[in-house]
Amino acid sequence: MPRPVRVLFVTNMWPDHERPWYGSFVHSQARSLSDLGVDVDVLPIRGYARKWEYLTAAGKMSKHNFEARYDVIHAHYGHSALVARCDVRRPLVISYCGDDLLGTPSPAQPSRMTPGSRLLARSFAQVARLASATITKSEQMMLELPARLRLRNHVIPNGVDLEMFKRIDQAEARRRLGWDPSETVVLFVGNPAIARKNHALAERAVQVALARCPSLRLRVAKGVAPDQIPIWMSAADVLVHPSWSEGSPNVVKEAMACELPIVATPAGDVPERLRGVVGCHVLPGDDLAFADALLDAVSHHPCAAARGAVGDLSLARVAQRIVGVYESVTAVHRPPG
């Protein structure tokens, strides 16, 4: 019986005691691969806390050059890819996650990327030359790669835990959260201080819609533990997702799994995800148009069609596609020496 594929995740996005929500999608992917029999180890890099963590991790990766423990190194995010490549003997798969290829919007002018992030994104795109294969979350992200390198890219959005993200009774969810049962809740998931999330548009649209729906209330889920997000989504009436830039936003897919109608800007693969789902709207960031869409979406709650549309992105199905990537790179890779 063949032994399982042995993979090392190298990632600067991983939940810890300070940020239990940080990189939860990477954690879910590791778990789903393990469920399929893949032997997954993780080298987490707490780069957000201390920059020298990258140097420490690079030292550990260099040590792996003299060990035969792993078949594949799988890096998540551009910075992590540079660290992962310190092991030159194993095939490298890079998962790009969003602004590492797309850049980060400027707080002063969110429709444009900051010069520094734009330069960094271009550099990370070139790092793909060091990989045996790359994964992007959307077609839009893939187009940021050099043309020749797109041939070995795989467009694989993050999967959704359909067991965790499913609708529960709204009254029960509101009871758990202590919300007023008479509210009509517009839910924003994320940190309003992050410019690209465009929280200001959500605020303005709700203010416009209040004239026709006085019970409307905008609630923000910031820093909420991942296992609590399904309760927030079940308690809400509509998700608002007004981002300027995204790869394949997990919150949209998770809301779909919870049968929550969605009003969103056309960022990343959101148009593809919501295409044809009645009760969900993808439109440019106009205050009045967003307000109209929010009120229409509320009338379609719950949105069973949304859950049906995201079924192909279950954790298990996405994990199977990633295993296919591992098999393709190990089939052609021969360690040097």
Side-chain angles (χ1 to χ4, degrees):
M1 183 175 181
R3 65 169 176 78
V5 177
R6 296 172 298 194
V7 178
L8 176 65
F9 271 26
V10 182
T11 175
N12 59 356
M13 297 177 294
W14 192 256
D16 59 25
H17 65 283
E18 292 182 37
R19 295 184 175 188
W21 67 91
Y22 191 55
S24 59
F25 65 95
V26 183
H27 186 274
S28 295
Q29 188 175 111
R31 188 180 74 247
S32 62
L33 287 167
S34 295
D35 289 344
L36 290 183
V38 178
D39 187 353
V40 181
D41 283 346
V42 181
L43 175 60
I45 307 170
R46 297 179 73 245
Y48 74 87
R50 292 176 294 273
K51 296 302 181 187
W52 62 76
E53 293 280 350
Y54 289 103
L55 294 176
T56 301
K60 293 179 180 178
M61 290 305 305
S62 297
K63 181 180 177 182
H64 288 317
N65 275 310
F66 305 100
E67 300 174 350
R69 186 173 181 181
Y70 301 109
D71 301 300
V72 179
I73 308 297
H74 188 169
H76 295 262
Y77 204 82
H79 294 84
S80 303
L82 292 172
V83 172
R85 190 65 288 177
C86 291
D87 181 334
V88 299
R89 296 179 62 86
R90 252 65 62 177
L92 172 64
V93 175
I94 302 174
S95 279
Y96 290 100
C97 299
D99 55 5
D100 48 355
L101 280 184
L102 300 175
T104 304
S106 167
Q109 199 170 5
S111 60
R112 295 188 178 184
M113 302 299 125
T114 63
S117 74
R118 188 165 57 244
L119 178 61
L120 196 60
R122 290 173 181 170
S123 299
F124 285 149
Q126 296 300 321
V127 173
R129 299 182 187 277
L130 305 177
S132 299
T134 58
I135 296 172
T136 57
K137 309 303 180 183
S138 67
E139 296 280 349
Q140 177 193 12
M141 290 179 64
M142 181 183 70
L143 295 177
E144 298 298 325
L145 294 171
R148 290 180 58 189
L149 302 184
R150 297 170 197 164
L151 297 175
R152 58 178 188 247
N153 182 70
H154 305 260
V155 178
I156 307 178
N158 294 317
V160 183
D161 187 339
L162 296 179
E163 289 302 311
M164 177 177 174
F165 288 91
K166 57 186 177 183
R167 183 173 67 90
I168 64 174
D169 179 71
Q170 188 180 66
E172 170 61 16
R174 292 192 174 191
R175 185 193 65 78
R176 295 188 197 178
L177 296 173
W179 292 5
D180 185 337
S182 66
E183 293 177 348
T184 303
V185 176
V186 177
L187 180 64
F188 176 97
V189 179
N191 184 351
I194 299 175
R196 70 178 173 87
K197 297 299 183 181
N198 200 11
H199 175 257
L201 172 58
E203 287 187 313
R204 296 194 305 269
V206 169
Q207 284 300 314
V208 172
L210 274 172
R212 285 176 285 166
C213 183
S215 64
L216 209 63
R217 175 171 180 179
L218 177 64
R219 287 187 177 271
V220 176
K222 174 190 173 185
V224 176
D227 63 350
Q228 294 298 302
I229 291 295
I231 301 174
W232 283 65
M233 289 181 170
S234 296
D237 295 287
V238 57
L239 178 83
V240 60
H241 193 266
S243 288
W244 286 101
S245 175
E246 295 282 354
S248 177
N250 298 308
V251 64
V252 168
K253 292 172 286 188
E254 292 163 356
M256 293 173 72
C258 291
E259 302 180 33
L260 187 61
I262 300 162
V263 176
T265 49
D269 68 348
V270 171
E272 178 185 352
R273 299 274 77 84
L274 297 182
R275 186 175 297 123
V277 180
V278 176
C280 294
H281 299 264
V282 180
L283 64 165
D286 175 79
D287 298 3
L288 181 58
F290 249 65
D292 290 342
L294 287 173
L295 295 177
D296 178 76
V298 164
S299 69
H300 288 88
H301 180 276
C303 185
R307 183 173 176 87
V310 81
D312 286 343
L313 292 180
S314 68
L315 288 178
R317 290 188 180 186
V318 169
Q320 289 168 353
R321 294 174 65 183
I322 294 172
V323 169
V325 177
Y326 295 160
E327 291 174 343
S328 70
V329 298
T330 55
V332 300
H333 182 79
R334 296 291 182 271

